[in-house]
Amino acid sequence: MGNCQGSSQGGVSIKVIHNLGDTDIVWTKTPTREPTTLVSFYQGEQGFASFVAGMGLIGDVEPVAKIYSKLHSVDPMNSFPDPTFPEWRLYETKNSDGRRYLILRLSHTYVVGPKTTKAWLYNYPVFRDITMHLSSLGVDELVYMTTHLMQTAPMNDQAFIPDGEVAVFDYLNPEDNIFIGPDELTEDMLVPPPTWMFAKIFKDFNQNVLKGVWVVFCPHTDTVFVNEGGAELLMEFMSEVHALNIDTEKINEMLMVINDVEHLQQPADFTAVLDGGFYV
């Protein structure tokens, strides 16, 4: 594990680069240590609820770090003059109480599919490296925002999240049930990667006294291309529970982008979107 620091010569800001085995993290400023909550989401998730919510938390700030790995699922083709980026991006903000929040935007990942059998192989090393590095900077809590994608799957005894509610799973106490407010869900919930993988790895590899490892689910629906209701629920949770500001202008911008994509004519375009093809 090594690092090197660049300079600000020629108008280029300082870069601090950490080489972490399978992962490289390029900081645009010197990182500091303080108590911090990490919020994460996968932007290509069906319905885009967590993507819209996550971008509402990020707003128009620039990333403080870019995360690269040879294990990332990156499309070999790109387009000019507006190329997409191959890295995951990390953003920084503060809540109204002054606590630091880092927001990790997963722009692509290995997800469930008929030919996807190596999700753990490719996800585990990167999440491990990120967790151990951020642990050294004081990160002691994870909030992973997602959608209960399997809610509409034709399975018996599958947990159901009612409209207007979010479910919260405490990964520090996985033997407990999932909660919707004060009520417990008694049915099991089938959860795809990378949600459970990141939570599990964060719990086991973080070296701080953990404040919490939370997975927050909004309900899923197959009837709309954009799950705006789910996004609103996730943002409401982050605002009320974590005292974070929401950038409504950024949300409207994201909704316009996604709604434009909905009307694309080529099926390949939809595949790119669901694989994380938004780079705005």
Side-chain angles (χ1 to χ4, degrees):
M1 185 180 298
N3 67 81
C4 59
Q5 182 166 307
S7 70
S8 58
Q9 296 178 356
V12 179
S13 61
I14 291 176
K15 293 180 180 178
V16 180
I17 302 173
H18 291 264
N19 307 114
L20 308 170
D22 293 296
T23 310
D24 299 313
I25 301 181
V26 181
W27 288 89
T28 59
K29 65 176 186 177
T30 303
T32 58
R33 180 181 175 88
E34 65 178 275
T36 303
T37 295
L38 176 65
V39 179
S40 188
F41 64 93
Y42 166 46
Q43 71 176 30
E45 194 172 72
Q46 187 178 9
F48 308 108
S50 59
F51 174 50
V52 173
M55 295 307 293
L57 297 177
I58 292 169
D60 286 322
V61 301
E62 293 296 318
V64 294
K66 299 177 180 180
I67 300 171
Y68 296 85
S69 177
K70 64 184 178 182
L71 301 175
H72 277 168
S73 177
V74 178
D75 194 314
M77 301 299 291
N78 213 323
S79 60
F80 291 168
D82 187 23
T84 61
F85 54 83
E87 74 272 10
W88 292 351
R89 292 190 166 185
L90 191 68
Y91 303 82
E92 181 178 342
T93 188
K94 297 268 189 176
N95 72 356
S96 61
D97 299 323
R99 180 176 172 86
R100 184 173 70 175
Y101 277 71
L102 294 174
I103 304 172
L104 177 59
R105 175 184 178 184
L106 309 179
S107 52
H108 46 71
T109 186
Y110 286 86
V111 296
V112 170
K115 298 181 180 180
T116 306
T117 60
K118 297 181 179 179
W120 179 260
L121 174 66
Y122 293 107
N123 281 310
Y124 160 68
V126 184
F127 286 135
R128 175 203 61 208
D129 292 344
I130 292 172
T131 295
M132 294 184 69
H133 179 64
L134 295 183
S135 172
S136 71
L137 300 177
V139 172
D140 57 9
E141 182 179 34
L142 172 68
V143 180
Y144 192 99
M145 299 188 300
T146 187
T147 305
H148 181 20
L149 292 174
M150 306 306 293
Q151 177 165 318
T152 55
M155 299 178 181
N156 294 327
D157 301 324
Q158 178 69 198
F160 180 82
I161 303 175
D163 291 340
E165 302 285 353
V166 296
V168 181
F169 180 64
D170 177 5
Y171 221 105
L172 286 184
N173 300 287
E175 69 280 359
D176 293 345
N177 286 330
I178 304 166
F179 281 84
I180 298 178
D183 301 321
E184 296 184 25
L185 285 176
T186 57
E187 300 87 356
D188 290 339
M189 179 183 289
L190 191 61
V191 180
T195 303
W196 70 269
M197 293 180 180
F198 196 4
K200 169 63 175 173
I201 292 166
F202 185 92
K203 172 189 174 183
D204 288 348
F205 283 86
N206 191 296
Q207 296 172 297
N208 298 316
V209 177
L210 289 174
K211 183 178 179 181
V213 180
W214 314 98
V215 182
V216 183
F217 299 88
C218 70
H220 176 60
T221 174
D222 287 330
T223 60
V224 294
F225 186 69
V226 185
N227 185 3
E228 294 187 42
E232 291 177 3
L233 289 169
L234 292 173
M235 288 184 285
E236 181 179 313
F237 177 88
M238 297 305 297
S239 176
E240 293 182 356
V241 176
H242 290 271
L244 287 168
N245 292 324
I246 307 297
D247 188 331
T248 55
E249 290 186 5
K250 190 66 175 182
I251 294 167
N252 292 333
E253 178 188 340
M254 292 299 98
L255 291 175
M256 288 180 62
V257 170
I258 300 173
N259 286 323
D260 286 344
V261 171
E262 183 180 6
H263 300 292
L264 294 175
Q265 299 299 315
Q266 299 297 324
D269 293 330
F270 286 100
T271 302
V273 169
L274 294 175
D275 284 343
F278 283 127
Y279 296 88
V280 291

